[in-house]
Amino acid sequence: MTKIAIVGSGLIGRAWATVFASHGFEVALHDVAPGAAEAARAHIAVNLEELAGHGLVDDPKGSIARIRVASGLADVLAGAGFVQENGPETVEAKRALFGEMDELAAPDAILASSTSFIMASVFSEGLKGRARCLVGHPVNPPHLVPIVEIAPAPWTDADVVARAKAIYEQAGQVPITLRKEKPGFVLNRLQAVLLAEAFRLVGEGVASAEDVDKTIRDGLGLRWSFMGPFETIELNAPGGIPDYCARYSASLDRMVKSSEGLGNPFDSGTVAEVMREWRGSQSAERVKKLSDWRDGRLAALQAHKRASARKPD
Ligand SMILES: NC(=O)c1ccc[n+]([C@@H]2O[C@H](COP(=O)([O-])OP(=O)(O)OC[C@H]3O[C@@H](n4cnc5c(N)ncnc54)[C@H](O)[C@@H]3O)[C@@H](O)[C@H]2O)c1
């Protein structure tokens, strides 16, 4: 199997290592911060046991045995056929890392970035090996949320895209492929629109942040855990999507246009309004407790989805 190099072992890097190792890949981990890759490996060992408890990983001990801590960038890339980069989210950091990785990695190794917003053309232009670079954007945490957005640059080889897709699938992920570049790809563009409206509704005093959360948690989100927006609206009018649009497009269009030209929905005044009634403090302890709770619920949901009947054709 292709050997995997994980460059940057923070939140996302260590989750990627979990994904690949638990699907049988040999994984090497690297981070510039001293001790970070070792700490990530220890964290992954605990995580794998928890996933096994939810029936999502068969062999936690075998999985952790497949992860090694590398001694540096050259070592992590040695023998790797697929590199998943998870460094800082700045254009400068991505350009610097991809420059170094392109120099050091085997010529046929694929170089994928976890970047949330930066297009592959921005950090790979000018590289000798730019045809083997692309974005493979995961969702936090990728070992529990399987979507990965493959976003190639205009010059990425079609064969590289196909090979990346096959590797992600082998690792149990659900890849989608963008047909052209767009900052933020698909997922974060959809999320941005929803977040902008959520902040505006609270900022304008229409609803509390808690009630907006409930609207997703106990409303839209229930269907979204197994259906997309198109699949959802298909069932909301007898004639399917065209009928839905004929009935509701004028109202939808009015709502969309009513937000056009408004200011930044994430400005400090609106954020303060959201925080006015927000309960709890942002202590590290509370974040850890909530993240563990979320991961447990996501694992249970994944187990449910795997055991569920497939959608009828
Ligand atoms: N956090 C999320 O929800 C999320 C989701 C999807 C994608 N991403 C993307 O994943 C990437 C990593 O995000 P994160 O949340 O894991 O950040 P993080 O801060 O948790 O981890 C980044 C790690 O990279 C290391 N690093 C910095 N420079 C390095 C270098 N030159 N070589 C090797 N390691 C280096 C840091 O020491 C740190 O451990 C970003 O591009 C981010 O946009 C994040």
Side-chain angles (χ1 to χ4, degrees):
M1 277 170 99
T2 306
K3 287 196 176 159
I4 309 293
I6 301 291
V7 176
S9 309
L11 191 68
I12 294 300
R14 68 186 187 222
W16 270 126
T18 306
V19 166
F20 286 115
S22 62
H23 285 81
F25 290 90
E26 296 288 333
V27 176
L29 268 184
H30 163 64
D31 199 291
V32 273
E38 287 83 354
R41 193 176 180 280
H43 187 278
I44 294 165
V46 175
N47 207 1
L48 283 163
E49 294 292 347
E50 282 171 8
L51 290 170
H54 288 285
L56 293 173
V57 166
D58 297 333
D59 179 14
K61 299 222 161 23
S63 302
I64 194 68
R66 281 189 284 276
I67 302 179
R68 77 174 174 94
V69 171
S71 60
L73 190 61
D75 184 34
V76 80
L77 299 173
F82 188 86
V83 183
Q84 186 77 41
E85 174 279 327
N86 317 277
E89 181 69 3
T90 65
V91 170
E92 298 70 35
K94 300 295 184 208
R95 279 189 180 146
L97 261 172
F98 271 75
E100 284 182 84
M101 296 189 313
D102 192 37
E103 285 296 318
L104 295 170
D108 60 344
I110 295 174
L111 308 182
S113 173
S114 292
T115 175
S116 303
F117 298 99
I118 306 167
M119 298 185 297
S121 56
V122 172
F123 57 78
S124 65
E125 190 174 19
L127 295 183
K128 202 164 58 198
R130 65 183 197 163
R132 41 111 155 232
C133 298
L134 42 70
V135 168
H137 173 239
V139 176
N140 182 37
H143 55 281
L144 294 170
V145 184
I147 195 80
V148 51
E149 298 182 281
I150 299 178
W155 45 75
T156 309
D157 261 2
D159 173 59
V160 166
V161 175
R163 277 163 55 213
K165 183 166 181 277
I167 287 170
Y168 285 132
E169 278 171 349
Q170 229 180 328
Q173 300 300 102
V174 178
I176 65 156
T177 307
L178 268 72
R179 293 178 178 160
K180 50 169 98 160
E181 284 198 304
K182 192 96 175 155
F185 321 118
V186 174
L187 187 138
N188 273 324
R189 295 188 76 83
L190 292 174
Q191 179 162 249
V193 174
L194 186 84
L195 280 176
E197 198 56 36
F199 272 76
R200 281 202 189 102
L201 288 169
V202 178
E204 290 171 9
V206 175
S208 66
E210 192 177 357
D211 278 355
V212 170
D213 271 355
K214 276 186 197 163
T215 309
I216 299 299
R217 191 173 68 218
D218 294 311
L220 288 171
L222 285 178
R223 291 183 302 212
W224 285 350
S225 63
F226 51 91
M227 284 184 144
F230 292 112
E231 291 172 310
T232 299
I233 65 167
E234 187 185 26
L235 305 183
N236 287 356
I241 295 170
D243 187 16
Y244 181 94
C245 292
R247 286 166 190 243
Y248 304 117
S249 75
S251 303
L252 291 169
D253 188 45
R254 248 194 319 276
M255 279 190 280
V256 170
K257 290 206 170 108
S258 71
S259 297
E260 276 172 12
L262 297 178
N264 179 356
F266 310 106
D267 64 15
S268 54
T270 314
V271 173
E273 195 53 39
V274 170
M275 294 314 291
R276 208 164 54 81
E277 294 178 343
W278 195 249
R279 67 236 166 265
S281 65
Q282 184 71 356
S283 67
E285 196 187 336
R286 182 164 180 271
V287 169
K288 161 98 180 72
K289 220 158 88 182
L290 283 176
S291 301
D292 288 350
W293 174 81
R294 176 204 60 195
D295 288 359
R297 300 326 305 144
L298 279 173
L301 183 59
Q302 273 298 90
H304 167 71
K305 285 180 67 141
R306 282 184 196 176
S308 302
R310 286 195 44 206
K311 192 178 127 204
D313 288 332

